[in-house]
Amino acid sequence: MAKAITNIQRIELTEEQKRKMDLEEIETALLDNKDSILQSLDIIKHMNDRGVLSLLDGLFSEGDKILNVLVKAADKPEATNTLKNLLLMVGVLGTINVQQLEPLLLKLNSGIARVAEYRESDDDKLGYFDIVRSLKDPEINRALSLLFEFLKGMGEKTEGLERTTQLPENQDLHQSQDGRMEDR
């Protein structure tokens, strides 16, 4: 029978051998991730060109002072309300259907452009009969129709839509003109 091994001698690596193995491991990792590393270096170069690295350097070197200012600013009741309102507004913005909003925004821009071009004078007094007569103008009539549709929409019951995480196209509780709930 063979004798049992009672003494195990480990091979001791010299510092130079350990260093050589570590360098080979790093070299292999660099070669395996070449594209990612080059892309990261390109991003860092762009950040440096735009001064972002200088900004971050200053931020980290003065981090305690900046953090102290931020904590003091956030400790005020107004800041708490601002953060709550900001989060609520971001949530609401996520539910807005931009495709439906675009035509309205174009009309709003057109109206703002007209107001910007308008020059007020003393001769431009608007009387009751002028208002009634202006209802025959097709542009004013379309604008009033749009305004009334908007007001009807604002008057709809929205309990089913409020504080929801559904996208607008998935929200099916819109009231029709005759008071029935319909899919839009």
Side-chain angles (χ1 to χ4, degrees), residues 89-121:
M89 287 175 60
V90 167
V92 168
L93 286 176
T95 63
I96 292 176
N97 188 338
V98 179
Q99 291 173 336
Q100 291 176 339
L101 190 60
E102 183 182 14
L104 180 64
L105 291 176
L106 292 172
K107 291 176 183 181
L108 182 66
N109 284 339
S110 177
I112 290 172
R114 281 203 179 193
V115 168
E117 293 172 3
Y118 178 75
R119 300 288 178 242
E120 192 174 337
S121 68

Side-chain angles (χ1 to χ4, degrees), residues 121-160:
S121 68
D122 291 335
D123 298 337
D124 290 342
K125 293 183 179 176
L126 189 64
Y128 295 116
F129 293 113
D130 296 325
I131 294 172
V132 173
R133 219 177 336 205
S134 67
L135 291 174
K136 293 180 182 178
D137 184 346
E139 290 176 347
I140 291 178
N141 201 303
R142 272 193 303 272
L144 286 173
S145 297
L146 182 69
L147 177 64
F148 286 135
E149 285 300 316
F150 177 74
L151 291 174
K152 285 180 187 177
M154 285 197 54
E156 282 183 355
K157 292 185 179 183
T158 58
E159 288 85 19

Side-chain angles (χ1 to χ4, degrees), residues 14-170:
T14 64
E15 284 294 320
E16 189 173 318
Q17 289 172 329
K18 286 181 187 178
R19 184 174 171 86
K20 185 177 180 184
M21 286 177 59
D22 289 345
L23 285 173
E24 286 175 2
E25 185 180 355
I26 291 171
E27 183 179 355
T28 304
L30 286 172
L31 291 173
D32 290 345
N33 298 301
K34 174 187 164 197
D35 293 334
S36 300
I37 292 170
L38 290 175
Q39 192 173 15
S40 298
L41 290 173
D42 193 41
I43 290 170
I44 291 171
K45 180 185 178 297
H46 289 299
M47 290 172 67
N48 188 44
D49 292 345
R50 290 187 172 60
V52 174
L53 293 181
S54 299
L55 177 71
L56 289 174
D57 182 45
L59 179 68
F60 289 130
S61 66
E62 299 294 327
D64 291 339
K65 292 179 185 176
I66 293 172
L67 187 60
N68 188 23
V69 170
L70 288 176
V71 168
K72 284 182 181 177
D75 194 31
K76 297 178 182 173
E78 304 89 37
T80 306
N81 288 337
T82 301
L83 289 174
K84 286 179 186 176
N85 292 340
L86 181 65
L87 291 173
L88 181 63
M89 287 175 60
V90 167
V92 168
L93 286 176
T95 63
I96 292 176
N97 188 338
V98 179
Q99 291 173 336
Q100 291 176 339
L101 190 60
E102 183 182 14
L104 180 64
L105 291 176
L106 292 172
K107 291 176 183 181
L108 182 66
N109 284 339
S110 177
I112 290 172
R114 281 203 179 193
V115 168
E117 293 172 3
Y118 178 75
R119 300 288 178 242
E120 192 174 337
S121 68
D122 291 335
D123 298 337
D124 290 342
K125 293 183 179 176
L126 189 64
Y128 295 116
F129 293 113
D130 296 325
I131 294 172
V132 173
R133 219 177 336 205
S134 67
L135 291 174
K136 293 180 182 178
D137 184 346
E139 290 176 347
I140 291 178
N141 201 303
R142 272 193 303 272
L144 286 173
S145 297
L146 182 69
L147 177 64
F148 286 135
E149 285 300 316
F150 177 74
L151 291 174
K152 285 180 187 177
M154 285 197 54
E156 282 183 355
K157 292 185 179 183
T158 58
E159 288 85 19
L161 300 174
E162 290 176 7
R163 303 193 62 82
T164 182
T165 57
Q166 293 178 349
L167 294 174
E169 56 268 12
N170 296 335

